[in-house]
Amino acid sequence: RKPRLDFAERKGQAQRMLGLMDVFLKNDPISLQKDILHHVEYTVARSRFSFDDFEAYQALAHSVRDRLIERWHDTLIHFKKEDPKRVYFLSLEFLMGRSLSNIVINLGIRDQFADALSQLGFDFEVLAEQEGDACLGNGGLARLSACQMDSLATLDYPAVGYGLRYQYGLFRQVIVDGFQHEQPDYWLNFGNPWEIERVHITYPVKFYGTVTDEFLNGEKCKVWVPGEMVEAVAYDNPIPGYGTRNTINLRLWAAKPSDQHDMESFNTGDYVDAVVNRQRAESISSILYPDDRSYQGKELRLKQQYFFVSASVQDIFRRFKDTHKKFDEFPEKVALQLNDTHPSLAIAEVMRVLLDEEHLSWHRAWDIICKIFSFTTHTVSPEGLEKIPVDLLGNLLPRHLQIIYDINFNFVEELKKMIGLDYDRLTRMSIVEEGAVKNIRMANLSVICSHTVNGVSRLHSELLRTKLFKDFYDLWPHKFQYKTNGVTQRRWIVVSNPSLCALISKWLGTEAWICDIDLLIGLRDSATNAELHQEWKMVKKVNKIRLAEYIEAMSGLKVSLDAMFDVQTKRIHEYKRQLLNILGIIHRYDCIKNMDKNDRKKVVPRVCIIGGKAAPGYEIAKKIIKLCHVVAEKINNDNDIGDLLKLVFIPDYNVSVAEMVIPGADLSQHLSTAGHEASGTGSMKFLMNGCLLLATADGSTIEMVEEIGQDNMFLFGAKAHEVVALRKKGPTLKVPLQFSRVVRMIRDGHFGFEDYFKSLCDKIEGTSDYFLLGADFMSYLEAQAAADKAFVDEERWTKMSILSAAGSGRFSSDRTIQEYAENTWDIQPCRCPF
Ligand code: BZD
């Protein structure tokens, strides 16, 4: 679009406009109150004399949004002027949760808004509770993207996030009679004040059709004639940094019917049918796939992947071409980060644009590809790697399939020169998997075309080098890096645990740790200080009260604050071994039942809290949820047990529930069979909140041990390198009697539903115990006993808790992003002047 005014006119207008507006919105209590009331009246369209909490939240959110937009504009203008190299972070999932508190804290105006609201008779915290979660992701991978956006903004990096604006986020989990039911999360029902619809930023996205050879200026070129065209509309979500004016953009794409392509159907066919057909376009961005591991091979999923990739790539090219003419400069201005293989069609898409639309030679285009892409994998197992059936890809994206074949041909030819005719290895490394169904291996494509490949913890990267991508590592060792995940302390301490935040700032004498997490280490100096202990325990108590109230409101169960709050919250998976936790709880219950009065006095009371969603088609995971409920029913209603043991399942675990659960936990469990969790990020949030960890030596836990010391954690179980041998032992492996006993209790119907749980029990006994519950059981019980022993020694426990938080600095996403910026993307901060 052309600007409406030429430069001279615009300059004059700008002067006049500045005169009309205040330079920036003001943040004094009166201005804020006026703004909120203004939005009540004119945005929410309620009378300023009568509005409820939700309407007050909406008006508040719009007042905050106005301030956010000011900074966002300034940042975008600054980036445009400076034209730095940018990183484009491509992710099919972003799990943002709520935004209000995070935004006002990052903008540094939380207290001002809280004051203004209280003068209007409202409580900031109550209004913040009105906001729904944005759950546009499954689990760890998606929440990591959200944390990384916060760090990118805070560290002033010129970054843009790209993703999909799903209309239905991750399903809501509802528990009926102990069974999980899924309900749609139509999260936009009540509007979303944090997004800005950009009706003029749209791109056509093509699907299906045919590819023909044509001649252009005497050169042969490929022309893709699509069979379907859909419009991608941009929705911008400004992400503010903390302690900086920088506010970066998360651009999510929504699908809309295209006007360009199907006018013909209106002329020839039935008008109503034609309109109905157009509606189908919107289905592309309608739903998030609720599977956090396995690849499903569905056409809609592939369409989603290409849709968001194509729109993002067009946007990136448009931005580049605004200021640059020569594509050789592309790698100096563009870094493309693939968050897992989900966006890896971007490789073929960039190649297609360079070849077919910009008419670069293959050689030049390929040279650019090899300089701009980097790839993070979040997967450990070969089965987790995404494969796309060739038929599906060829039908939906015929030109992309050709390009992938060409990339593969060149690669295999080169490879032969390097390794000779080692057919097994050539077959393993090829992008194309031959077999009954021919597949494209998206991970191989990503590794071959990226200059850098990384895992998400040291152990994970090690497993990539020695197992998953060994062939590639042997060929290109320089490509492989490790980047241990991190989480943002802004969300996971400052927003979710304000009392701890205040305490830390008081004891460190500064708030600087909010941007410079390494300062937390300073808490070590006071780890034995009695006064700090008192205050530390007080903070935990406040958070436990909040959690206990939530539990009571949700389930009617009253829990004792003196008990150890023992939490395992994460997606339900066999490898995460929630079952091990439940078996441990049954064992504990059984022991208490068989104790005499005196021994019972020594029992450490526990409130065991489990939460997490199971993928809708994952039967075993759903059975684990049901088992948790029947065991809870039995224990919680056993008067003989009282407060010694309680079990609670927290339904619909999501970001906002996590913000309340994590600060209230004394102990948290991370039980994955070693070698199965790529990193794990929940543990980092617990650690930052001074919660003690009971964990296997898996993923990033190993690095946590290095930071806080083995004495301050409860480690157990087989190590990653021992797992294969243990599995091989199979039937000869001796499992402890205690294990057989608790499994027998389930089999015998001690908790009811014995037929239903039979398959679950079969999965963990004998040769089928793939995740080694039996093998790790004794060691698990010992770790639990050690946790009990530490808990009764209040002073020791508090010291361990302080040391956990003090040692958590390494697990900030600020550190991770800094490493990516320096070692992977080669980008510099670009700070917007205040
Ligand atoms: O990514 C997780 C890993 O399992 C964790 O170990 C790791 O800490 C985090 C962050 O790196 N993986 C996922 O969350 N994966 C998905 O959610 C997912 C979603 C769709 C399809 C495949 C996987």
PDB file of all heavy atoms in Angstrom, residues 93 138-142 144 289 291-294 301 340 342 376-380 384 456 485 575-576 676-681, ligand 1:
ATOM      1  N   GLU A  93       4.169 -23.909  18.168  1.00  0.00           N
ATOM      2  CA  GLU A  93       3.483 -23.804  19.452  1.00  0.00           C
ATOM      3  C   GLU A  93       4.111 -22.733  20.346  1.00  0.00           C
ATOM      4  O   GLU A  93       5.347 -22.651  20.456  1.00  0.00           O
ATOM      5  CB  GLU A  93       3.539 -25.153  20.194  1.00  0.00           C
ATOM      6  CG  GLU A  93       2.943 -26.294  19.376  1.00  0.00           C
ATOM      7  CD  GLU A  93       2.792 -27.585  20.171  1.00  0.00           C
ATOM      8  OE1 GLU A  93       3.073 -27.582  21.379  1.00  0.00           O
ATOM      9  OE2 GLU A  93       2.403 -28.581  19.557  1.00  0.00           O
ATOM     10  N   ASN A 138       1.364 -27.640  23.546  1.00  0.00           N
ATOM     11  CA  ASN A 138       1.148 -28.854  24.313  1.00  0.00           C
ATOM     12  C   ASN A 138       1.818 -28.854  25.672  1.00  0.00           C
ATOM     13  O   ASN A 138       1.183 -29.128  26.679  1.00  0.00           O
ATOM     14  CB  ASN A 138       1.672 -30.045  23.517  1.00  0.00           C
ATOM     15  CG  ASN A 138       0.619 -30.622  22.610  1.00  0.00           C
ATOM     16  OD1 ASN A 138      -0.269 -31.344  23.055  1.00  0.00           O
ATOM     17  ND2 ASN A 138       0.693 -30.285  21.331  1.00  0.00           N
ATOM     18  N   GLY A 139       3.126 -28.608  25.659  1.00  0.00           N
ATOM     19  CA  GLY A 139       3.851 -28.781  26.925  1.00  0.00           C
ATOM     20  C   GLY A 139       5.178 -28.050  26.899  1.00  0.00           C
ATOM     21  O   GLY A 139       5.247 -26.872  26.509  1.00  0.00           O
ATOM     22  N   GLY A 140       6.234 -28.775  27.250  1.00  0.00           N
ATOM     23  CA  GLY A 140       7.560 -28.184  27.440  1.00  0.00           C
ATOM     24  C   GLY A 140       8.060 -27.366  26.264  1.00  0.00           C
ATOM     25  O   GLY A 140       8.539 -26.240  26.435  1.00  0.00           O
ATOM     26  N   LEU A 141       7.931 -27.935  25.085  1.00  0.00           N
ATOM     27  CA  LEU A 141       8.439 -27.260  23.887  1.00  0.00           C
ATOM     28  C   LEU A 141       7.768 -25.894  23.715  1.00  0.00           C
ATOM     29  O   LEU A 141       8.408 -24.893  23.413  1.00  0.00           O
ATOM     30  CB  LEU A 141       8.175 -28.168  22.681  1.00  0.00           C
ATOM     31  CG  LEU A 141       8.416 -27.710  21.258  1.00  0.00           C
ATOM     32  CD1 LEU A 141       8.719 -28.928  20.389  1.00  0.00           C
ATOM     33  CD2 LEU A 141       7.207 -27.000  20.682  1.00  0.00           C
ATOM     34  N   ALA A 142       6.465 -25.882  23.932  1.00  0.00           N
ATOM     35  CA  ALA A 142       5.692 -24.667  23.693  1.00  0.00           C
ATOM     36  C   ALA A 142       5.931 -23.622  24.780  1.00  0.00           C
ATOM     37  O   ALA A 142       6.008 -22.423  24.504  1.00  0.00           O
ATOM     38  CB  ALA A 142       4.213 -25.011  23.619  1.00  0.00           C
ATOM     39  N   LEU A 144       8.640 -23.404  26.488  1.00  0.00           N
ATOM     40  CA  LEU A 144      10.005 -22.948  26.266  1.00  0.00           C
ATOM     41  C   LEU A 144      10.015 -21.792  25.267  1.00  0.00           C
ATOM     42  O   LEU A 144      10.711 -20.791  25.463  1.00  0.00           O
ATOM     43  CB  LEU A 144      10.863 -24.102  25.736  1.00  0.00           C
ATOM     44  CG  LEU A 144      12.343 -23.785  25.585  1.00  0.00           C
ATOM     45  CD1 LEU A 144      13.022 -23.797  26.939  1.00  0.00           C
ATOM     46  CD2 LEU A 144      13.026 -24.770  24.649  1.00  0.00           C
ATOM     47  N   TYR A 289      -3.046 -29.623  17.418  1.00  0.00           N
ATOM     48  CA  TYR A 289      -3.003 -31.079  17.633  1.00  0.00           C
ATOM     49  C   TYR A 289      -2.526 -31.383  19.052  1.00  0.00           C
ATOM     50  O   TYR A 289      -1.473 -30.894  19.469  1.00  0.00           O
ATOM     51  CB  TYR A 289      -2.089 -31.748  16.600  1.00  0.00           C
ATOM     52  CG  TYR A 289      -2.813 -32.020  15.304  1.00  0.00           C
ATOM     53  CD1 TYR A 289      -2.809 -31.103  14.271  1.00  0.00           C
ATOM     54  CD2 TYR A 289      -3.560 -33.199  15.150  1.00  0.00           C
ATOM     55  CE1 TYR A 289      -3.508 -31.341  13.095  1.00  0.00           C
ATOM     56  CE2 TYR A 289      -4.260 -33.440  13.989  1.00  0.00           C
ATOM     57  CZ  TYR A 289      -4.228 -32.515  12.961  1.00  0.00           C
ATOM     58  OH  TYR A 289      -4.927 -32.764  11.812  1.00  0.00           O
ATOM     59  N   ASP A 291      -1.113 -33.733  20.563  1.00  0.00           N
ATOM     60  CA  ASP A 291      -0.174 -34.814  20.810  1.00  0.00           C
ATOM     61  C   ASP A 291       1.202 -34.229  21.023  1.00  0.00           C
ATOM     62  O   ASP A 291       1.720 -33.505  20.183  1.00  0.00           O
ATOM     63  CB  ASP A 291      -0.154 -35.775  19.626  1.00  0.00           C
ATOM     64  CG  ASP A 291       0.326 -37.133  20.068  1.00  0.00           C
ATOM     65  OD1 ASP A 291       1.358 -37.169  20.773  1.00  0.00           O
ATOM     66  OD2 ASP A 291      -0.319 -38.131  19.742  1.00  0.00           O
ATOM     67  N   ASP A 292       1.795 -34.538  22.151  1.00  0.00           N
ATOM     68  CA  ASP A 292       3.070 -33.897  22.442  1.00  0.00           C
ATOM     69  C   ASP A 292       4.255 -34.788  22.100  1.00  0.00           C
ATOM     70  O   ASP A 292       5.352 -34.509  22.511  1.00  0.00           O
ATOM     71  CB  ASP A 292       3.125 -33.456  23.911  1.00  0.00           C
ATOM     72  CG  ASP A 292       3.090 -34.624  24.857  1.00  0.00           C
ATOM     73  OD1 ASP A 292       2.563 -35.687  24.476  1.00  0.00           O
ATOM     74  OD2 ASP A 292       3.594 -34.485  25.976  1.00  0.00           O
ATOM     75  N   ARG A 293       4.023 -35.882  21.397  1.00  0.00           N
ATOM     76  CA  ARG A 293       5.173 -36.701  21.021  1.00  0.00           C
ATOM     77  C   ARG A 293       5.083 -37.312  19.626  1.00  0.00           C
ATOM     78  O   ARG A 293       5.861 -36.986  18.749  1.00  0.00           O
ATOM     79  CB  ARG A 293       5.403 -37.805  22.057  1.00  0.00           C
ATOM     80  CG  ARG A 293       6.242 -37.285  23.202  1.00  0.00           C
ATOM     81  CD  ARG A 293       6.468 -38.296  24.237  1.00  0.00           C
ATOM     82  NE  ARG A 293       7.583 -39.185  23.967  1.00  0.00           N
ATOM     83  CZ  ARG A 293       8.855 -38.832  24.090  1.00  0.00           C
ATOM     84  NH1 ARG A 293       9.176 -37.613  24.412  1.00  0.00           N
ATOM     85  NH2 ARG A 293       9.814 -39.717  23.880  1.00  0.00           N
ATOM     86  N   SER A 294       4.106 -38.179  19.464  1.00  0.00           N
ATOM     87  CA  SER A 294       4.133 -38.976  18.241  1.00  0.00           C
ATOM     88  C   SER A 294       3.688 -38.160  17.035  1.00  0.00           C
ATOM     89  O   SER A 294       2.935 -37.206  17.140  1.00  0.00           O
ATOM     90  CB  SER A 294       3.218 -40.168  18.402  1.00  0.00           C
ATOM     91  OG  SER A 294       1.913 -39.722  18.593  1.00  0.00           O
ATOM     92  N   ARG A 301      -2.442 -31.441   9.548  1.00  0.00           N
ATOM     93  CA  ARG A 301      -1.245 -31.036  10.301  1.00  0.00           C
ATOM     94  C   ARG A 301      -0.168 -30.514   9.330  1.00  0.00           C
ATOM     95  O   ARG A 301       0.472 -29.508   9.569  1.00  0.00           O
ATOM     96  CB  ARG A 301      -0.742 -32.250  11.094  1.00  0.00           C
ATOM     97  CG  ARG A 301       0.621 -32.117  11.702  1.00  0.00           C
ATOM     98  CD  ARG A 301       0.573 -31.513  13.079  1.00  0.00           C
ATOM     99  NE  ARG A 301       1.929 -31.462  13.650  1.00  0.00           N
ATOM    100  CZ  ARG A 301       2.233 -30.833  14.755  1.00  0.00           C
ATOM    101  NH1 ARG A 301       1.304 -30.194  15.431  1.00  0.00           N
ATOM    102  NH2 ARG A 301       3.463 -30.826  15.197  1.00  0.00           N
ATOM    103  N   ASP A 340      12.200 -27.474  16.666  1.00  0.00           N
ATOM    104  CA  ASP A 340      11.909 -28.851  16.277  1.00  0.00           C
ATOM    105  C   ASP A 340      11.666 -28.934  14.761  1.00  0.00           C
ATOM    106  O   ASP A 340      11.876 -27.949  14.047  1.00  0.00           O
ATOM    107  CB  ASP A 340      10.722 -29.420  17.063  1.00  0.00           C
ATOM    108  CG  ASP A 340      10.970 -30.882  17.414  1.00  0.00           C
ATOM    109  OD1 ASP A 340      10.972 -31.723  16.483  1.00  0.00           O
ATOM    110  OD2 ASP A 340      11.205 -31.192  18.579  1.00  0.00           O
ATOM    111  N   HIS A 342       8.878 -29.276  13.221  1.00  0.00           N
ATOM    112  CA  HIS A 342       7.551 -28.832  12.761  1.00  0.00           C
ATOM    113  C   HIS A 342       7.604 -27.717  11.719  1.00  0.00           C
ATOM    114  O   HIS A 342       6.764 -27.696  10.827  1.00  0.00           O
ATOM    115  CB  HIS A 342       6.662 -28.430  13.958  1.00  0.00           C
ATOM    116  CG  HIS A 342       6.780 -29.365  15.140  1.00  0.00           C
ATOM    117  ND1 HIS A 342       6.600 -28.947  16.435  1.00  0.00           N
ATOM    118  CD2 HIS A 342       7.090 -30.677  15.205  1.00  0.00           C
ATOM    119  CE1 HIS A 342       6.807 -29.966  17.248  1.00  0.00           C
ATOM    120  NE2 HIS A 342       7.106 -31.029  16.531  1.00  0.00           N
ATOM    121  N   THR A 376      16.789 -26.884  16.456  1.00  0.00           N
ATOM    122  CA  THR A 376      16.771 -27.459  17.805  1.00  0.00           C
ATOM    123  C   THR A 376      15.856 -28.664  17.794  1.00  0.00           C
ATOM    124  O   THR A 376      14.715 -28.558  17.333  1.00  0.00           O
ATOM    125  CB  THR A 376      16.187 -26.458  18.829  1.00  0.00           C
ATOM    126  OG1 THR A 376      16.955 -25.263  18.786  1.00  0.00           O
ATOM    127  CG2 THR A 376      16.219 -27.025  20.236  1.00  0.00           C
ATOM    128  N   THR A 377      16.341 -29.786  18.289  1.00  0.00           N
ATOM    129  CA  THR A 377      15.430 -30.924  18.436  1.00  0.00           C
ATOM    130  C   THR A 377      15.101 -31.103  19.920  1.00  0.00           C
ATOM    131  O   THR A 377      15.948 -30.863  20.788  1.00  0.00           O
ATOM    132  CB  THR A 377      16.003 -32.221  17.820  1.00  0.00           C
ATOM    133  OG1 THR A 377      15.128 -33.295  18.148  1.00  0.00           O
ATOM    134  CG2 THR A 377      17.389 -32.529  18.327  1.00  0.00           C
ATOM    135  N   HIS A 378      13.865 -31.507  20.176  1.00  0.00           N
ATOM    136  CA  HIS A 378      13.414 -31.702  21.558  1.00  0.00           C
ATOM    137  C   HIS A 378      13.117 -33.173  21.820  1.00  0.00           C
ATOM    138  O   HIS A 378      12.455 -33.515  22.788  1.00  0.00           O
ATOM    139  CB  HIS A 378      12.154 -30.868  21.828  1.00  0.00           C
ATOM    140  CG  HIS A 378      12.345 -29.402  21.592  1.00  0.00           C
ATOM    141  ND1 HIS A 378      12.603 -28.513  22.611  1.00  0.00           N
ATOM    142  CD2 HIS A 378      12.347 -28.675  20.459  1.00  0.00           C
ATOM    143  CE1 HIS A 378      12.741 -27.288  22.100  1.00  0.00           C
ATOM    144  NE2 HIS A 378      12.579 -27.376  20.794  1.00  0.00           N
ATOM    145  N   THR A 379      13.574 -33.997  20.925  1.00  0.00           N
ATOM    146  CA  THR A 379      13.191 -35.410  20.953  1.00  0.00           C
ATOM    147  C   THR A 379      14.380 -36.282  21.315  1.00  0.00           C
ATOM    148  O   THR A 379      15.510 -35.966  20.972  1.00  0.00           O
ATOM    149  CB  THR A 379      12.694 -35.818  19.549  1.00  0.00           C
ATOM    150  OG1 THR A 379      11.787 -34.817  19.110  1.00  0.00           O
ATOM    151  CG2 THR A 379      12.014 -37.153  19.563  1.00  0.00           C
ATOM    152  N   VAL A 380      14.081 -37.392  21.977  1.00  0.00           N
ATOM    153  CA  VAL A 380      15.140 -38.328  22.334  1.00  0.00           C
ATOM    154  C   VAL A 380      15.061 -39.585  21.477  1.00  0.00           C
ATOM    155  O   VAL A 380      16.069 -40.127  21.037  1.00  0.00           O
ATOM    156  CB  VAL A 380      15.023 -38.723  23.821  1.00  0.00           C
ATOM    157  CG1 VAL A 380      16.026 -39.791  24.162  1.00  0.00           C
ATOM    158  CG2 VAL A 380      15.207 -37.521  24.719  1.00  0.00           C
ATOM    159  N   GLY A 384      10.142 -40.718  17.776  1.00  0.00           N
ATOM    160  CA  GLY A 384       9.585 -39.371  17.926  1.00  0.00           C
ATOM    161  C   GLY A 384       9.887 -38.472  16.732  1.00  0.00           C
ATOM    162  O   GLY A 384       9.364 -37.367  16.635  1.00  0.00           O
ATOM    163  N   VAL A 456      18.769 -30.077  23.914  1.00  0.00           N
ATOM    164  CA  VAL A 456      18.283 -29.119  24.905  1.00  0.00           C
ATOM    165  C   VAL A 456      18.839 -29.354  26.314  1.00  0.00           C
ATOM    166  O   VAL A 456      18.388 -28.742  27.269  1.00  0.00           O
ATOM    167  CB  VAL A 456      16.744 -29.060  24.892  1.00  0.00           C
ATOM    168  CG1 VAL A 456      16.259 -28.313  23.664  1.00  0.00           C
ATOM    169  CG2 VAL A 456      16.117 -30.443  24.953  1.00  0.00           C
ATOM    170  N   ASN A 485      18.257 -25.946  28.156  1.00  0.00           N
ATOM    171  CA  ASN A 485      17.074 -25.090  28.264  1.00  0.00           C
ATOM    172  C   ASN A 485      17.138 -24.198  29.497  1.00  0.00           C
ATOM    173  O   ASN A 485      17.886 -24.460  30.435  1.00  0.00           O
ATOM    174  CB  ASN A 485      15.812 -25.953  28.418  1.00  0.00           C
ATOM    175  CG  ASN A 485      15.366 -26.576  27.111  1.00  0.00           C
ATOM    176  OD1 ASN A 485      14.584 -27.499  27.095  1.00  0.00           O
ATOM    177  ND2 ASN A 485      15.856 -26.071  26.006  1.00  0.00           N
ATOM    178  N   TYR A 575       6.925 -42.679  30.040  1.00  0.00           N
ATOM    179  CA  TYR A 575       8.340 -42.469  30.358  1.00  0.00           C
ATOM    180  C   TYR A 575       8.540 -41.485  31.517  1.00  0.00           C
ATOM    181  O   TYR A 575       9.556 -41.508  32.206  1.00  0.00           O
ATOM    182  CB  TYR A 575       9.125 -42.026  29.112  1.00  0.00           C
ATOM    183  CG  TYR A 575       9.102 -40.544  28.825  1.00  0.00           C
ATOM    184  CD1 TYR A 575      10.037 -39.700  29.402  1.00  0.00           C
ATOM    185  CD2 TYR A 575       8.153 -39.976  27.965  1.00  0.00           C
ATOM    186  CE1 TYR A 575      10.020 -38.339  29.151  1.00  0.00           C
ATOM    187  CE2 TYR A 575       8.133 -38.625  27.703  1.00  0.00           C
ATOM    188  CZ  TYR A 575       9.076 -37.809  28.300  1.00  0.00           C
ATOM    189  OH  TYR A 575       9.047 -36.459  28.051  1.00  0.00           O
ATOM    190  N   LYS A 576       7.552 -40.638  31.766  1.00  0.00           N
ATOM    191  CA  LYS A 576       7.661 -39.691  32.893  1.00  0.00           C
ATOM    192  C   LYS A 576       7.312 -40.377  34.228  1.00  0.00           C
ATOM    193  O   LYS A 576       7.482 -39.807  35.292  1.00  0.00           O
ATOM    194  CB  LYS A 576       6.759 -38.481  32.675  1.00  0.00           C
ATOM    195  CG  LYS A 576       7.214 -37.585  31.500  1.00  0.00           C
ATOM    196  CD  LYS A 576       6.329 -36.372  31.349  1.00  0.00           C
ATOM    197  CE  LYS A 576       6.576 -35.572  30.087  1.00  0.00           C
ATOM    198  NZ  LYS A 576       7.712 -34.641  30.176  1.00  0.00           N
ATOM    199  N   HIS A 676      15.392 -40.550  28.647  1.00  0.00           N
ATOM    200  CA  HIS A 676      14.136 -40.340  27.920  1.00  0.00           C
ATOM    201  C   HIS A 676      13.637 -38.905  27.910  1.00  0.00           C
ATOM    202  O   HIS A 676      12.843 -38.537  27.048  1.00  0.00           O
ATOM    203  CB  HIS A 676      13.037 -41.269  28.462  1.00  0.00           C
ATOM    204  CG  HIS A 676      13.222 -42.674  28.003  1.00  0.00           C
ATOM    205  ND1 HIS A 676      12.612 -43.168  26.879  1.00  0.00           N
ATOM    206  CD2 HIS A 676      13.999 -43.662  28.484  1.00  0.00           C
ATOM    207  CE1 HIS A 676      12.987 -44.417  26.695  1.00  0.00           C
ATOM    208  NE2 HIS A 676      13.835 -44.747  27.663  1.00  0.00           N
ATOM    209  N   GLU A 677      14.049 -38.099  28.876  1.00  0.00           N
ATOM    210  CA  GLU A 677      13.597 -36.701  28.909  1.00  0.00           C
ATOM    211  C   GLU A 677      14.694 -35.859  28.277  1.00  0.00           C
ATOM    212  O   GLU A 677      15.801 -35.789  28.813  1.00  0.00           O
ATOM    213  CB  GLU A 677      13.359 -36.271  30.366  1.00  0.00           C
ATOM    214  CG  GLU A 677      12.632 -34.951  30.524  1.00  0.00           C
ATOM    215  CD  GLU A 677      11.171 -35.015  30.102  1.00  0.00           C
ATOM    216  OE1 GLU A 677      10.893 -34.840  28.896  1.00  0.00           O
ATOM    217  OE2 GLU A 677      10.312 -35.259  30.979  1.00  0.00           O
ATOM    218  N   ALA A 678      14.360 -35.203  27.172  1.00  0.00           N
ATOM    219  CA  ALA A 678      15.401 -34.432  26.484  1.00  0.00           C
ATOM    220  C   ALA A 678      16.021 -33.411  27.440  1.00  0.00           C
ATOM    221  O   ALA A 678      17.240 -33.313  27.550  1.00  0.00           O
ATOM    222  CB  ALA A 678      14.805 -33.746  25.263  1.00  0.00           C
ATOM    223  N   SER A 679      15.167 -32.671  28.113  1.00  0.00           N
ATOM    224  CA  SER A 679      15.692 -31.740  29.112  1.00  0.00           C
ATOM    225  C   SER A 679      14.810 -31.758  30.360  1.00  0.00           C
ATOM    226  O   SER A 679      15.230 -32.165  31.429  1.00  0.00           O
ATOM    227  CB  SER A 679      15.743 -30.323  28.523  1.00  0.00           C
ATOM    228  OG  SER A 679      15.850 -29.373  29.554  1.00  0.00           O
ATOM    229  N   GLY A 680      13.559 -31.336  30.180  1.00  0.00           N
ATOM    230  CA  GLY A 680      12.699 -31.100  31.335  1.00  0.00           C
ATOM    231  C   GLY A 680      12.889 -29.649  31.736  1.00  0.00           C
ATOM    232  O   GLY A 680      14.031 -29.184  31.877  1.00  0.00           O
ATOM    233  N   THR A 681      11.801 -28.909  31.861  1.00  0.00           N
ATOM    234  CA  THR A 681      11.909 -27.505  32.242  1.00  0.00           C
ATOM    235  C   THR A 681      11.083 -27.206  33.495  1.00  0.00           C
ATOM    236  O   THR A 681      11.344 -26.217  34.178  1.00  0.00           O
ATOM    237  CB  THR A 681      11.431 -26.576  31.097  1.00  0.00           C
ATOM    238  OG1 THR A 681      10.224 -27.118  30.579  1.00  0.00           O
ATOM    239  CG2 THR A 681      12.458 -26.486  29.995  1.00  0.00           C
TER     240      THR A 681
HETATM  241  O1  BZD B   1      10.477 -30.250  25.040  1.00  0.00           O
HETATM  242  C1  BZD B   1       9.747 -31.428  25.317  1.00  0.00           C
HETATM  243  C2  BZD B   1      10.682 -32.478  25.868  1.00  0.00           C
HETATM  244  O2  BZD B   1       9.980 -33.684  26.090  1.00  0.00           O
HETATM  245  C3  BZD B   1      11.265 -31.962  27.164  1.00  0.00           C
HETATM  246  O3  BZD B   1      12.202 -32.869  27.665  1.00  0.00           O
HETATM  247  C4  BZD B   1      11.940 -30.615  26.932  1.00  0.00           C
HETATM  248  O4  BZD B   1      12.321 -30.041  28.135  1.00  0.00           O
HETATM  249  C5  BZD B   1      10.995 -29.672  26.225  1.00  0.00           C
HETATM  250  C6  BZD B   1      11.648 -28.374  25.848  1.00  0.00           C
HETATM  251  O5  BZD B   1      12.840 -28.602  25.171  1.00  0.00           O
HETATM  252  N1  BZD B   1       9.071 -31.841  24.117  1.00  0.00           N
HETATM  253  C7  BZD B   1       7.834 -31.407  23.869  1.00  0.00           C
HETATM  254  O6  BZD B   1       7.248 -30.679  24.666  1.00  0.00           O
HETATM  255  N2  BZD B   1       7.289 -31.784  22.692  1.00  0.00           N
HETATM  256  C8  BZD B   1       6.054 -31.419  22.289  1.00  0.00           C
HETATM  257  O7  BZD B   1       5.309 -30.765  22.981  1.00  0.00           O
HETATM  258  C9  BZD B   1       5.594 -31.856  20.927  1.00  0.00           C
HETATM  259  C10 BZD B   1       4.493 -31.228  20.403  1.00  0.00           C
HETATM  260  C11 BZD B   1       4.033 -31.618  19.154  1.00  0.00           C
HETATM  261  C12 BZD B   1       4.651 -32.638  18.464  1.00  0.00           C
HETATM  262  C13 BZD B   1       5.751 -33.263  19.014  1.00  0.00           C
HETATM  263  C14 BZD B   1       6.223 -32.882  20.261  1.00  0.00           C
END
